[in-house]
Amino acid sequence: FGCIDTDGDGHSDGGTDAFPNDKSQHMDVDGDGFGDNANGSNGDACPNLHGSSMHDRRGCYDSDGDGYSNPDDDWGLIEGADFFPADETQWGDYDGDGFGDNSSGNKGDTCPIVHGLSMDDRFGCPDTDADGLSDPDSNWTTDDGADLCPDDAGDACLAYIMKHPGDVVNKHGGFIFPTIIVVLVIFRTWRQRQLEISSDEAVDFTTSDNDYV
């Protein structure tokens, strides 16, 4: 009683007031700098657990120190907890594809509002054939590095073969060239047979004077 109370909250500056200049707070049981009064300024969401989070909620455990609290039984990802509690460069993942929304962070999602699993040319964009290369779109074409064969994980489409003829051998172990040769031989044999049939069925309309005797 009768001691200095700068903020006028009824708790003396040198006694029980952990926040002598804040009338809305006076206790801080876990000593993390966030007041135990949840309705006061900077109220501690985890008053019995020392924590440094401050963005999604204040005073809760934040293992990577990015300001977003680790998820727990009372506070999950939907509420705003850290999607990446071990990565200080990422915390949000709007489309839930495993790539963070911070484009400048580790494996930043190039398509943050569209679920995608590409990871070779860019992170987190649609990848229809699941080969690691993203499907081309209006902002990212095959000239930029998008998949030339978005529907073929083996990249055996004509567009890829024409642009990377040497890679076909490496990807398919030289199998494709013998296959092409066999197909060409079969086609040539079939074509030749068709010509022979056409020749045999042709009608000879030439006549001579002896034909009318």
Side-chain angles (χ1 to χ4, degrees), residues 4-159:
I4 296 176
D5 177 14
T6 302
D7 55 17
D9 60 2
H11 298 270
S12 64
D13 292 1
T16 59
D17 199 343
F19 306 91
N21 296 306
D22 184 352
K23 188 175 184 178
S24 70
Q25 298 286 2
H26 66 276
M27 291 185 66
D28 181 15
V29 171
D30 56 15
D32 57 9
F34 298 97
D36 295 347
N37 179 13
N39 296 320
S41 61
N42 294 322
D44 199 333
C46 302
N48 298 310
L49 176 67
H50 189 283
S52 60
S53 67
M54 62 179 64
H55 296 315
D56 56 323
R57 53 180 178 163
R58 298 182 181 89
C60 295
Y61 186 55
D62 173 20
S63 57
D64 58 12
D66 59 5
Y68 290 86
S69 65
N70 289 25
D72 55 37
D73 293 339
D74 299 319
W75 190 262
L77 300 177
I78 294 177
E79 286 75 27
D82 199 339
F83 270 82
F84 308 91
D87 183 353
E88 63 180 1
T89 70
Q90 297 289 358
W91 46 86
D93 183 12
Y94 179 83
D95 55 17
D97 57 10
F99 298 97
D101 297 339
N102 180 16
S103 60
S104 60
N106 295 327
K107 296 183 178 181
D109 199 332
T110 308
C111 304
I113 61 174
V114 180
H115 187 281
L117 301 176
S118 66
M119 60 176 59
D120 290 344
D121 56 326
R122 50 183 179 163
F123 294 111
C125 293
D127 175 16
T128 301
D129 57 12
D131 65 353
L133 291 171
S134 65
D135 299 346
D137 55 40
S138 59
N139 297 317
W140 188 260
T141 68
T142 55
D143 290 334
D144 298 312
D147 198 344
L148 283 164
C149 309
D151 298 315
D152 184 357
D155 287 332
C157 68
L158 181 59

Side-chain angles (χ1 to χ4, degrees), residues 13 16 29 64 80 84 118 141 159 167 175 177 186 193 207-208 213:
D13 292 1
T16 59
V29 171
D64 58 12
F84 308 91
S118 66
T141 68
D167 289 352
F175 174 75
F177 287 120
I186 293 174
R193 179 59 181 158
T207 60
S208 65
V213 176

